[in-house]
Structures are given as C-alpha cells and as structure tokens.
C-alpha cells in the first residue's frame, strides 16, 4: 500500500471514528444531549411557521374563575364535573377526556353523581389515572381504583427529560409483559393514546417526541379553549364531533415546562397538563412527524461533517487556517439550520455534526504531526463548553451534594400567600407590580433567612419555606412559629404602608405545619431543586388556606404546637376538613402585641365551648364587646348565632 493510500485509509478511519464518537457523545453524554435539545427547542419555540388552530380538539378549562364559584379549590367539585361531562356529551362530543385524578372522597352525593355519570354517559369517556406511589398514597390509589372503571382509565403521567425536566415525549402508557407492551388496569394506555384510539386513529406503543403545534398568531392559541363554567351556554357546534379535553389551567397546579419556555414563560412555556396532552393528540391525529430528523439522517450529517473536517485538514495550511475555516463553516451551518427551519428545512442536527467536524480536524492534525500545544488547548477548551464547570466543581468537592435521591425526615413548613393578589396584579402596571412584589419578597426572605429557614420556592406572591433541612435544627418548629409571627408583623406593616399609597395589597395568610416528608435534591446533575415531597407539604399548604375561613392571618397545626413548649397559642377549634371525619386541632400563635386579658377570657370561653355549655354564648358576647375586632371571637360568635355551640368545626371548605 502506497503512502498516499495509507493516508487516505487513515483519513477515512478518522472520519468514521469522528462521526461515531460524535453520535455516541450526543446520545450518551447528558450535557451534550441537553445542548442538542436546547438548540432544537429554540427552533421549535421561535421558528415554526404558524398553522391554523386544531379543528379536532377542544379544551374545557377549569380556571381560577371556575373555582370561585365553589367553597373549596381542591378537589374539583364533583357535581360540577359531572354536569360538565353531561353537557359536553349532550352537545355531541365524539370523545371526552378528563384530565382530573379522582383520588379522594368529597361530598358523598356529588361523588355518587359523578360515578353515575361515568357509568351512563354514552360518549366514549376516559379519566386521568396513575398508580405511581410518588403521586398517590395506597389509600388514594384504592379510592381511585374503585371510582374509575379500568376501561375508562388513561395514564396521566408525563415523560419529563431527566436532564432538564422539560416535557418532550408522549407517554404511551401500558407496561411490558413477556416482551410486549400491553395495557393493564394499573398501567393503562397513556392519555394521548387513549384519546386517539377512541377517536379511531392509531397511536404508537413507544414514546414519540411531541411535535408542538405552533400558535396561529400572537393572540390566538393552538387549540380552542372555553371556561368550564360557560359550557352550558356555548353552541353545540363548538363540541360536536370533537375530542373534548376537560382539565385544570390553574396558575400553580399541574404545570409543566416545555421547550416553548425558551421564549415564553407563560402558558405555552409552563403549560397546563391538559394542553400538553392536546398537543400530543393533535400530532397523532394529523400524522405530523416529530420535528427531529430520523437517526439515519443524523448519521449521514455526522459522517458528512466528519469528512468535511478531514478535507479541511488535508489542505495542510496550519491550525489557524483550520480553525478559521472551521468556525466559518460551523457558523454558517448553525445559522442556516436554525433560520432555515422556519422556511421549511427539516430540523438538522447541530451538535453532533459540529463535534464530528471538530473531532475529525483535531485527529487529522494529530495524525499528520502538525498539531501544536495551543491547538490541543483550543480543542480541549472547545469541548469543555459542553460540561458545566459548576457541576464538576461540586462533584470534586463533595459528590454526595448532587445526589438526586431524597431522605424522609421531619421538618416544619411555612406557606405564605397574599390575599387577592391575583386580582390586584391585574389592576397594576407590570413595572409597578414587579417593584411591589420584589420589595415584599425581599423583606419576607430576609426574615426567613434570619431564622435559618430554607426558601424552597416562590409561586407568584406565595412563599414555601422549610425548617430542619438541609441543616438539622432541633427547635425547627419553634423557629418556624417565631418566623411566622415576625413575617406577619412585617407583612401587616408592608400592607398598611402600600395601602396608604393607594396600592391595594391584601393581608398575608400564613400556614405552619410539622410532619415527615421526603426532602432532598430532585432533578438532574445540571439542574435540580432542593425541595420536599409528600402529603405533609400539601397539609401545610391547606393550613395556610384555611385562614380565610376563620379570618386569621396565621394558622398552626397541633403537630407544630406539640413541639413548641416555650410558645403560647390559642386553639381555634377542632377542625373536620371537607370529606374527612376525624377532627384536627388548629391554633393561632399568640403574639407579643396580643392583649393578655383577651387571651385569658378567650381560654375561659373556649373551655365552655368545648363542653358545649350554653354559657359560652354570654362569654363570647362579653369578649366581643371588649375586643370587637378579634377574628377568632367573631368566628365563634357567628357559629353560636346559628345555634352551633361546639368547638368542633365541620368545614364546608377545604
């Protein structure tokens, strides 16, 4: 074999190796996979040509306005849900999908009514279902299995990317048995596959990348959507012959980050689950292929750029020439691939071919003996961009710090929320709203951090904080209560000050609860959140919400009070939550500014109330005369006027 033939053979091997290495790198190295995803996301979010709204799918949205008609936010009123299903069926819907998980009892009559509707509705109907222990407890799963027939179940779980948590693929549902994917009662068909099958279409049994339906224009949505409360008065033509999806579009629940979040931080980027399902259904019904190029195309482009890198190196003009030409070629390719997508080009792979190109140039320079130290440093520097330095540093210093597994432990949780802030925000300019909210959160966070609490997240104006994690705090419950009292004092001063400036900020309601939860870093090695999971977190959130029922600003559970021997509380009552039979004691912490006489007289009156003694009425009337603005006293007086002389409070709300 001649020297020229050896060089040609070696060059071919280098091109093949570079192409294969690039393909494997993008496929198996999470940072590179994520980078390819992000470049694809940019094109999906910003470059897709507009198309008309779907004519096959309608979304019936359970929104914030819907919930204002009911005494409790969650679960969704079963009677109302039954009505909406019946109305949609009567209007001629071809398939009805309900993206609501029925996993706990509510009012028996309404539960029975909804169950009857599920059994008698003539329209093909299915509901979201999950058997995941991370989502439902054994008790909830048992209720769900009893309530929803097996043939009306659809897997609700969405497939999130393990690296950046974005939703990119359709979950087909089912489970693998004897080498085949089959639908079972505990693992039914996925929501999308169920809808498409009932509509008469075909759906794959393997995960498929979602072809997100672009918006028709800046003002319109990809799918017609109507508030659930208006279904009864809407024309039948809006629903006849269509797949009607019923689901929540609330601001803080069932939201999922999508590739569209790169340019849209609203409903498209942080999308309600029902709309995610709508995108998948629309794609399969219309036979729209996923945007990514098939694997054979990716292989071809990687091989092409590997060969191109070899060709550039064969000019033997030196490293400066290779780099200059390489940058020009890759820059042109990147711009052409991104911009061209908006003009009908397929979604060309970018990272794989770029790596193949760069790798083949580097290997050729090494092979022909003309690579220099600066060139190697350049290549190493180029590749280092694909790995997060922050993640590497943390792994080196403490590998356990980035574990994604959680630990079950006791902790105390604080939830805060400004009453009526959604309405207030709609009345303010964006800049003014931002300034007010930032000022409020700055002060609140300063207090939480001073008590060494961990700020888990912000949900609009709401704050979730954790005590006893990640650093252990033996007095975590007492810390949390003292923090809550100072937060209350701060929030009241902030509210009064802003109200004097004609900014209608409402009171801040605070809930405090102690219990066991799974706490830790959840996510991926490059993006993760330190947070808590479990029913304890939900209880803490509900504890904040019940303040509205009593007129209080701080509400603590008995689990908190039991751990705070150095603090004093007033018991609000023995509360039976909606759908429950066992009462839970709720308390209001006593602040330094509270009048000792009020506390003393209230304790006496409350004891009479617990004994269901008629003398409680006169006792509370006397307190009300001396302290007419005390919300807890007024709450009990209101009940006494209804001839309810008891400390047991059966709530109409939840």
């Amino acid at each position: 074999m001649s020297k020229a033939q050896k060089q040609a053979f070696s060059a071919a091997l280098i091109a093949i190796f570079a192409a294969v290495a690039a393909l494997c790198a993008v496929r198996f190295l999470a940072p590179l996979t994520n980078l390819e995803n992000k470049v694809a996301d940019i094109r999906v979010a910003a470059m897709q040509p507009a198309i008309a709204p779907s004519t096959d799918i309608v979304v019936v949205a359970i929104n914030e306005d819907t919930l204002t008609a009911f005494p409790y936010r969650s679960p969704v009123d079963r009677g109302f849900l039954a009505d909406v299903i019946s109305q949609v069926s009567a209007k001629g819907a071809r398939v009805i999908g309900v993206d609501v998980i029925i996993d706990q009892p509510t009012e028996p009559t309404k539960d029975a009514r909804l169950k009857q509707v599920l059994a008698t509705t003539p329209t093909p109907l299915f509901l979201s279902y999950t058997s995941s222990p991370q989502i439902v407890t054994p008790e909830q799963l048992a209720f769900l299995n009893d309530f929803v027939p097996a043939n009306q179940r659809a897997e609700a779980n969405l497939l999130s990317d393990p690296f950046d948590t974005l939703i990119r693929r359709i979950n087909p549902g089912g489970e693998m048995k004897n080498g085949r994917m089959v639908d079972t009662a505990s693992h039914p068909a996925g929501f999308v596959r169920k809808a498409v099958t009932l509509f008469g279409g075909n759906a794959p049994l393997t995960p498929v990348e979602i072809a997100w339906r672009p918006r028709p224009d800046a003002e319109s949505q990809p799918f017609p959507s109507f508030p659930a409360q208006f279904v009864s008065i809407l024309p039948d033509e809006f629903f006849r012959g269509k797949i009607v999806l019923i689901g929540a579009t609330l601001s803080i629940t069932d939201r999922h980050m999508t590739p569209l979040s790169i340019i849209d931080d609203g409903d498209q980027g942080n999308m309600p689950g029902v709309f995610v399902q709508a995108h998948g259904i629309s794609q399969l019904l219309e036979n729209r292929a996923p945007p990514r190029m098939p694997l054979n195309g990716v292989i071809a482009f990687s091989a092409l750029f590997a060969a191109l890198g070899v060709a550039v190196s064969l000019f033997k003009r030196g490293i400066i020439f290779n780099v200059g030409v390489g940058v020009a070629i890759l820059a042109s390719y990147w711009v052409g691939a991104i911009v061209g997508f908006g003009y009908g080009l397929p979604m060309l792979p970018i990272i794989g071919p770029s790596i193949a190109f760069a790798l083949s140039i580097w290997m050729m320079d090494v092979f022909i003996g003309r690579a220099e130290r600066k060139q190697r440093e350049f290549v190493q520097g180029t590749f280092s961009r694909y790995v997060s330095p922050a993640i590497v540093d943390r792994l080196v210093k403490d590998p356990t710090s980035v574990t994604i597994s959680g630990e079950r432990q006791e902790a105390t949780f604080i939830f805060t929320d400004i009453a009526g802030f959604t309405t207030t925000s709609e009345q303010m300019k964006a800049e003014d709203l931002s300034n007010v909210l930032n000022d409020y959160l700055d002060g609140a966070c300063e207090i939480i951090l001073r008590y060494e609490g961990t700020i888990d997240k912000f949900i609009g104006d709401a704050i979730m904080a954790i005590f006893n994690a990640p650093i252990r705090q033996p007095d975590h419950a007492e810390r949390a209560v003292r923090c809550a009292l100072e937060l209350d004092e701060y929030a009241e001063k902030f509210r009064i000050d802003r109200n004097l400036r004609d900014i209608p900020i409402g009171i801040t309601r605070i809930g405090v609860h102690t219990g066991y939860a799974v706490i830790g870093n959840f996510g991926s090695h490059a993006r993760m959140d330190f947070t808590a999971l479990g029913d304890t977190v939900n209880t803490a959130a509900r504890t904040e919400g019940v303040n509205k029922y009593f007129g209080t600003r701080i509400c603590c559970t008995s689990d908190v009070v039991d751990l705070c021997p150095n603090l004093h509380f007033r018991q609000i009552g023995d509360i039976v939550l909606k759908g429950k039979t066992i009462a839970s004691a709720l308390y209001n912490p006593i602040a330094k500014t509270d009048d000792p006489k009020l506390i003393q007289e209230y304790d006496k009156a409350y004891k009479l109330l617990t004994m269901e003694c008629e003398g409680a009425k006169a006792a509370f009337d006397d307190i009300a005369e001396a302290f007419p603005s005390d919300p807890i006293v007024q709450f009990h007086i209101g009940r006494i006027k209804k001839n309810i002389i008891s400390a047991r409070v059966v709530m109409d709300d939840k």
Side-chain angles (χ1 to χ4, degrees):
M1 184 181 293
S2 66
K3 182 178 180 181
Q5 289 176 325
K6 290 182 179 179
Q7 288 182 342
F9 181 72
S10 298
L13 287 179
I14 287 174
I16 293 171
F17 179 84
V20 172
L23 288 168
C24 292
V26 173
R27 184 174 181 83
F28 298 112
L29 295 181
L32 298 180
T33 303
N34 186 58
L35 187 56
E36 185 76 81
N37 287 339
K38 292 302 182 186
V39 179
D41 293 347
I42 293 172
R43 286 172 280 180
V44 168
M47 306 304 298
Q48 288 195 97
I51 61 175
S54 171
T55 58
D56 294 322
I57 301 170
V58 172
V59 174
V60 172
I62 300 172
N63 56 25
E64 295 290 349
D65 290 337
T66 308
L67 298 185
T68 59
F70 308 116
Y72 51 90
R73 290 178 59 88
S74 177
V76 175
D77 187 283
R78 300 282 166 76
F80 174 76
L81 191 56
D83 289 341
V84 172
I85 293 172
S86 298
Q87 292 163 3
V88 168
S89 177
K91 290 178 182 292
R94 185 167 167 183
V95 175
I96 302 174
V98 183
D99 191 19
V100 177
I101 296 179
I102 311 297
D103 61 357
Q104 56 184 295
T106 63
E107 300 167 74
T109 55
K110 292 183 178 180
D111 286 350
R113 182 178 167 197
L114 176 58
K115 198 167 187 178
Q116 179 66 20
V117 166
L118 299 185
T120 59
T121 297
T123 304
L125 168 68
F126 64 93
L127 288 82
S128 283
Y129 176 91
T130 181
S131 58
S132 172
Q134 284 76 36
I135 300 176
V136 292
T137 64
E139 294 77 14
Q140 289 174 313
L141 180 59
F143 182 86
L144 181 57
N145 286 335
D146 177 71
F147 201 99
V148 181
N151 67 330
Q152 290 183 328
R153 300 173 187 174
E155 178 63 59
N157 296 347
L158 297 174
L159 298 180
S160 60
D161 191 298
F163 194 84
D164 61 8
T165 73
L166 267 61
I167 304 299
R168 292 192 175 90
R169 297 183 300 158
I170 297 172
N171 181 5
E175 68 176 319
M176 191 65 66
K177 285 191 174 182
N178 300 322
R180 295 178 61 250
M181 184 65 72
V182 297
D183 299 333
T184 63
S186 58
H187 295 281
F191 195 98
V192 170
R193 182 156 65 88
K194 187 79 170 183
V196 171
T197 302
L198 290 177
F199 198 73
N202 295 316
L205 294 173
T206 56
V208 174
E209 185 175 8
I210 299 174
W212 300 97
R213 189 184 190 92
R215 299 172 67 163
D217 52 63
E219 304 299 327
S220 304
Q221 299 298 324
F223 305 96
S225 176
F226 308 105
Q229 63 269 29
F230 296 146
V231 168
S232 61
I233 62 174
L234 292 174
D236 293 0
E237 289 75 16
F238 286 9
F239 306 95
R240 185 178 297 122
K242 299 181 180 181
I243 296 177
V244 179
L245 305 180
I246 304 170
T249 60
L250 306 176
S251 58
I252 62 174
T253 58
D254 193 29
R255 290 278 177 153
H256 306 274
M257 296 298 292
T258 72
L260 308 180
S261 61
I262 285 184
I263 64 169
D264 189 330
D265 59 358
D267 287 348
Q268 296 298 308
N270 193 19
M271 189 177 293
V274 67
F275 279 104
V276 175
Q277 307 288 17
H279 278 274
I281 296 169
S282 168
Q283 166 186 349
L284 297 183
L285 289 181
E286 298 170 5
N287 292 317
R288 284 188 288 113
R292 306 290 184 96
M293 181 174 282
L295 179 60
N296 56 356
V298 176
I299 293 173
F301 267 84
S302 296
L304 173 63
F305 272 80
L308 189 58
V310 169
V312 170
S313 297
L314 287 176
F315 280 98
K316 300 181 179 180
R317 296 288 184 86
I319 186 61
I320 296 178
F321 173 84
N322 291 351
V323 171
V325 173
V327 168
I329 291 174
L330 290 182
S332 300
Y333 177 67
W334 277 56
V335 172
I338 293 174
V339 176
F341 181 74
Y343 291 91
L345 280 181
M347 184 174 286
L348 304 177
I350 289 180
I351 305 304
S354 299
I355 294 176
F357 181 76
L359 185 58
S360 64
I361 288 180
W362 176 76
M363 293 181 66
M364 281 296 294
D365 283 337
V366 171
F367 171 71
I368 63 179
R370 300 203 296 132
E372 299 177 355
R373 181 178 179 84
K374 289 184 178 181
Q375 180 192 18
R376 291 196 297 270
E377 292 175 350
F378 172 81
V379 173
Q380 292 169 354
T382 298
F383 281 100
S384 69
R385 293 180 301 168
Y386 301 115
V387 182
S388 170
I391 298 302
V392 174
D393 291 344
R394 291 184 66 185
L395 280 170
V396 171
K397 294 177 181 178
D398 182 10
T400 62
S401 67
V402 291
T403 179
I404 62 172
S405 61
E407 177 182 350
R408 183 174 176 80
Q409 66 180 84
E410 185 181 65
T412 300
F413 300 87
I414 286 181
F415 275 80
T416 77
D417 189 46
I418 301 176
F421 191 78
T422 299
T423 302
T424 299
S425 65
E426 294 172 351
Q427 301 170 355
M428 299 177 65
K429 295 180 180 179
E431 183 177 355
D432 294 337
L433 175 65
S434 177
N435 291 336
V436 170
L437 184 57
N438 287 340
D439 289 345
Y440 169 82
L441 293 176
D442 280 344
C445 291
E446 180 182 353
I447 294 170
I448 294 171
L449 294 176
R450 189 161 62 247
Y451 283 90
E452 298 183 349
T454 299
I455 299 171
D456 184 296
K457 61 175 65 72
F458 300 107
I459 309 171
D461 59 293
I463 303 173
M464 173 182 171
I466 308 173
F467 290 79
N468 204 37
I471 300 172
R472 294 294 189 269
Q473 299 163 326
D475 59 342
H476 56 90
E478 185 171 325
R479 281 176 183 264
V481 174
R482 293 187 187 279
C483 178
L485 288 168
E486 189 167 338
L487 282 172
D488 177 65
E489 181 180 359
Y490 158 78
E492 274 299 281
K493 290 180 180 178
F494 186 92
R495 178 184 67 83
I496 293 170
D497 176 74
R498 293 311 187 272
N499 289 174
L500 291 174
R501 304 183 199 178
D502 293 328
I503 300 174
I505 297 294
I507 65 170
T508 293
R509 301 189 180 109
I510 303 171
V512 188
H513 176 58
T514 297
Y516 280 85
V518 179
I519 303 175
N521 287 311
F522 297 94
S524 64
H525 287 283
R527 176 174 176 173
M528 60 179 61
D529 287 324
F530 183 84
T531 190
L533 304 175
D535 189 63
T536 295
V537 181
N538 298 329
T539 301
R542 291 197 296 268
T543 302
E544 174 273 311
V546 298
N547 279 290
K548 178 171 63 174
Y549 192 85
F550 307 120
T552 52
R553 297 197 300 269
I554 308 178
C555 196
C556 302
T557 63
S558 58
D559 302 280
V560 175
V561 175
D562 292 343
L563 297 176
C564 298
N566 300 320
L567 299 178
H568 302 285
F569 301 81
R570 273 197 292 168
Q571 186 168 352
I572 300 172
D574 294 320
I575 314 303
V576 182
L577 295 175
K578 186 69 176 179
K580 304 291 185 179
T581 57
I582 300 175
S584 301
L586 293 181
Y587 296 81
N588 179 241
I590 297 173
K592 295 179 181 179
T593 55
D594 289 342
D595 194 312
K597 183 178 179 182
L598 165 64
I599 305 305
Q600 183 179 8
E601 295 301 318
Y602 177 88
D603 285 344
K604 295 178 182 178
Y606 186 82
K607 289 179 181 178
L608 295 175
L609 199 64
T610 60
M611 295 185 291
E612 301 184 0
C613 177
E614 288 292 335
K617 181 180 185 303
F620 274 102
D621 284 339
D622 290 342
I623 302 174
E625 184 175 352
F627 304 95
S629 62
D630 185 81
I632 304 177
V633 172
Q634 292 300 324
F635 169 76
H636 286 301
I637 286 179
R639 285 166 48 80
I640 291 173
K641 287 181 179 179
K642 298 177 183 178
N643 294 319
I644 304 174
I645 303 176
S646 172
R648 181 181 174 88
V649 181
V650 180
M651 294 185 61
D652 297 324
D653 207 329
K654 187 171 182 179

